[in-house]
Amino acid sequence: MPRLGSFTAVHTDVAISIETDTRIIDLATDPVDLVIRHGLGRWDGLASHWLMAPELVVVASPKLLAKGPPIATLRDCLRYPLLHDIQRRDWSLLCEALRTKTTVTDTGPAYADDHLLVRAAVAGQGLALVSTVYANSEIEAGRLIVPLDISWPTKFAYYLVGTPKTFRRAAVKQFKDWILSEAKSGDER
């Protein structure tokens, strides 16, 4: 968001409206050109462009871990209650990306807000899969533990998604080129 002004300053003829919502947008019927989705980059009938892959970590309260079995693999995490993102897809997508052949239950609470997800993990409600941005202070304070050190798959990422037809429009192409350039520059600013 802080960088969007650099796009609008150069492309004054392109109107941008930004909406944040947890519902899945149907790009064929909703009046939306592009979305940013988190996943493996494959959505039927849509084109996607990789933006970035922030590293997520598995976190849990020390009290919860003290009561349960040891965690050495991703499969071991599945023996605990899982806390989910609002779409209930992150755990199953992580298993798919790491080629862990197992079924992830979608039971347990789901949260639209990462801060609430972290709070639930601190309260010992289950294991959470969250960005270190949201969990670092709780990890440093000892209220959360990272029980599993996994190599994070870069395909499990954020993607700019739209219909192939939409990506051919001049204004959309300009925005796509800009956001891909911004994502590539990452934290260099």
Side-chain angles (χ1 to χ4, degrees):
M1 287 306 301
R3 299 181 192 182
L4 190 57
S6 68
F7 176 82
T8 57
V10 173
H11 302 283
T12 57
D13 58 326
V14 178
I16 293 181
S17 298
I18 296 177
E19 178 182 335
T20 60
D21 199 333
T22 58
R23 69 185 172 92
I24 299 292
I25 301 294
D26 182 348
L27 289 167
T29 60
D30 288 334
V32 175
D33 292 320
L34 301 169
V35 296
I36 295 176
R37 287 192 178 165
H38 192 228
L40 295 175
R42 298 182 310 262
W43 293 278
D44 289 340
L46 300 176
S48 64
H49 299 275
W50 188 93
L51 293 172
M52 64 185 69
E55 189 159 334
L56 302 182
V57 292
V58 175
V59 295
S61 77
K63 290 179 184 175
L64 177 69
L65 293 175
K67 293 188 246 176
I71 296 177
T73 68
L74 180 58
R75 194 169 270 124
D76 295 335
C77 293
L78 305 179
R79 297 189 293 174
Y80 281 85
L82 300 180
L83 304 174
H84 300 274
D85 70 322
I86 197 65
Q87 297 171 3
R88 298 182 182 272
R89 295 279 298 139
D90 279 355
W91 285 99
S92 58
L93 287 171
L94 177 61
C95 287
E96 182 182 338
L98 292 175
R99 293 187 170 95
T100 301
K101 295 184 193 245
T102 189
T103 302
V104 177
T105 177
D106 67 355
T107 59
Y111 300 89
D113 182 292
D114 286 329
H115 293 289
L116 292 176
L117 189 58
V118 168
R119 301 277 22 107
V122 168
Q125 296 174 15
L127 272 63
L129 188 57
V130 296
S131 170
T132 54
V133 170
Y134 298 109
N136 268 344
S137 63
E138 299 297 341
I139 293 167
E140 290 170 4
R143 290 184 289 270
L144 287 177
I145 292 175
V146 179
L148 182 65
D149 183 25
I150 55 176
S151 177
W152 200 253
T154 58
K155 285 190 153 212
F156 189 59
Y158 288 99
Y159 293 84
L160 182 67
V161 181
T163 65
K165 181 180 177 182
T166 300
F167 275 116
R168 289 192 292 269
R169 290 186 18 230
V172 171
K173 184 176 179 336
Q174 290 170 344
F175 183 79
K176 177 198 81 166
D177 292 346
W178 171 81
I179 199 167
L180 291 177
S181 174
E182 291 294 316
K184 186 176 181 180
S185 69
D187 292 328
E188 295 172 9
R189 294 182 182 209

